[in-house]
């Protein structure tokens, strides 16, 4: 906080609005890490105001993502959706395929949280299609995980199993132990729904081991 605040003062002294906005983003991020969402939002909005004046597209995108993510964590899903929609529109104008895939993914998450299942499915499917064309294994894993969570919510356990297995395999390929543990925990839920106690227990035990390797207390508790 000290260094970001110092950077903000220097940016104002030198009349460097782009750096001033970046400093606000840094301060906002720090407040977010300090579990002070209100202060984080205030600083992100100050950054947003400057980025809009400068028409700084990438700065706008990142700040919209940051704001949307905070509101999502606060369960203010409709507000989060509005910010994420701005992100998707911007990436579409830029014709940035990775950005478009990401925008669809985060909108899939908010649509799922808002119980707009059809919209969530369409967003996740669009994201997955682009990620597959790009050969983006991490993106493919994320999109399949999103679909898996949607199917779990709908109690479509067989469909959930199929896509979550893909997410698990992709994360093994990426050596992403944290995300592997997340996907395994959801896969265990699918097996519970399928009333396959043996597979559910085996998968949950594996999820717990991976959570230990990832050194995540939260994931261990979920497993």
């Amino acid at each position: 906080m000290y260094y970001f605040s110092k950077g903000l003062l220097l940016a104002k002294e030198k009349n460097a609005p782009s750096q001033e906005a970046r400093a606000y983003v840094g301060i906002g991020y720090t407040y977010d890490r300090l579990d002070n969402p209100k202060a984080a939002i205030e600083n992100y909005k100050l950054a947003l105001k400057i980025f809009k004046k400068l028409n700084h597209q990438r700065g706008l995108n990142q700040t919209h993502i940051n704001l949307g993510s905070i509101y999502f964590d606060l369960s203010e899903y409709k507000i989060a959706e509005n910010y994420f929609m701005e992100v998707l529109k911007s990436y579409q104008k830029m014709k940035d395929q990775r950005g478009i895939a990401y925008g669809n993914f985060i909108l899939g998450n908010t649509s799922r949280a808002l119980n707009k299942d059809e919209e969530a499915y369409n967003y996740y499917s669009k994201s997955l299609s682009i990620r597959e064309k790009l050969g983006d294994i991490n993106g493919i894993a994320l999109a399949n995980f999103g679909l898996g969570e949607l199917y779990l919510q709908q109690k479509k356990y067989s469909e959930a199993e199929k896509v979550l297995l893909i997410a698990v395999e992709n994360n093994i390929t990426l050596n992403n132990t944290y995300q592997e543990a997340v996907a395994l925990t959801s896969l265990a839920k699918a097996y519970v729904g399928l009333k396959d106690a043996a597979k559910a227990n085996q998968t949950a035990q594996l999820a717990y081991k991976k959570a230990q390797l990832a050194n995540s207390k939260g994931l261990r508790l979920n497993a």
Side-chain angles (χ1 to χ4, degrees):
M1 185 67 77
Y2 168 79
Y3 286 109
F4 284 132
S5 299
K6 189 173 181 179
L8 176 62
L9 289 173
L10 287 169
K12 286 182 175 181
E13 286 174 9
K14 295 180 179 296
N15 192 26
S18 177
Q19 296 305 314
E20 183 181 344
R22 289 179 184 279
Y24 279 127
V25 169
I27 292 168
Y29 176 76
T30 307
Y31 274 124
D32 190 16
R33 292 295 295 271
L34 289 168
D35 294 322
N36 189 340
K38 184 179 178 181
I41 289 168
E42 287 174 359
N43 280 276
Y44 283 144
K45 285 185 175 179
L46 287 169
L48 199 62
K49 189 175 180 181
I50 297 170
F51 283 137
K52 281 181 179 177
K53 284 183 180 178
L54 297 173
N55 195 27
H56 193 302
Q57 210 57 53
R58 294 201 177 276
L60 283 169
N61 289 346
Q62 188 57 58
T63 310
H64 281 136
I65 290 169
N66 293 345
L67 281 164
S69 298
I70 289 179
Y71 281 114
F72 188 93
D73 290 340
L74 292 171
S75 299
E76 296 282 355
Y77 301 121
K78 193 61 187 173
I79 299 174
E81 183 181 46
N82 291 335
Y83 281 114
F84 291 153
M85 186 60 74
E86 291 299 318
V87 174
L88 178 59
K89 287 178 182 176
S90 174
Y91 281 129
Q92 286 172 333
K93 285 182 182 177
M94 295 166 68
K95 297 182 180 180
D96 182 330
Q97 291 301 303
R98 287 184 183 275
I100 293 169
Y102 180 70
N104 275 289
F105 173 72
I106 55 180
L107 279 167
N109 290 340
T110 51
S111 294
R112 176 165 55 83
L114 288 165
N115 295 313
K116 298 192 289 188
D117 290 2
E118 187 175 348
E119 286 187 20
Y121 176 80
N122 289 334
Y123 282 129
Y124 285 138
S125 297
K126 287 177 185 176
S127 181
L128 179 59
S129 177
I130 296 169
R131 298 294 196 182
E132 286 177 337
K133 287 177 184 176
L134 295 172
D136 181 352
I137 298 174
N138 182 58
I140 293 169
L142 287 172
N144 276 294
F145 177 75
L147 284 168
E149 289 292 290
L150 177 62
Y151 288 138
L152 285 176
Q153 190 169 291
Q154 296 174 326
K155 298 183 180 180
K156 296 179 179 178
Y157 301 116
S158 293
E159 289 90 335
E161 178 193 14
K162 291 174 186 175
V163 292
L164 288 169
L165 279 170
I166 295 170
V168 170
E169 290 168 7
N170 286 340
N171 281 305
I172 290 172
T173 300
L174 293 166
N175 197 29
N176 190 334
T177 307
Y178 184 94
Q179 288 299 330
E180 184 187 350
V182 173
L184 283 166
T185 302
S186 292
L187 182 59
K189 293 177 186 176
Y191 288 133
V192 170
L194 290 167
K195 295 181 170 47
D196 190 333
K199 275 190 176 180
N201 183 59
Q202 182 183 15
T203 306
Q205 292 285 354
L206 182 57
Y208 184 80
K209 289 179 182 176
K210 295 295 180 177
Q212 284 182 309
L213 288 173
N215 195 29
S216 171
K217 183 179 180 181
L219 289 183
R220 291 201 302 273
L221 288 170
N222 287 339

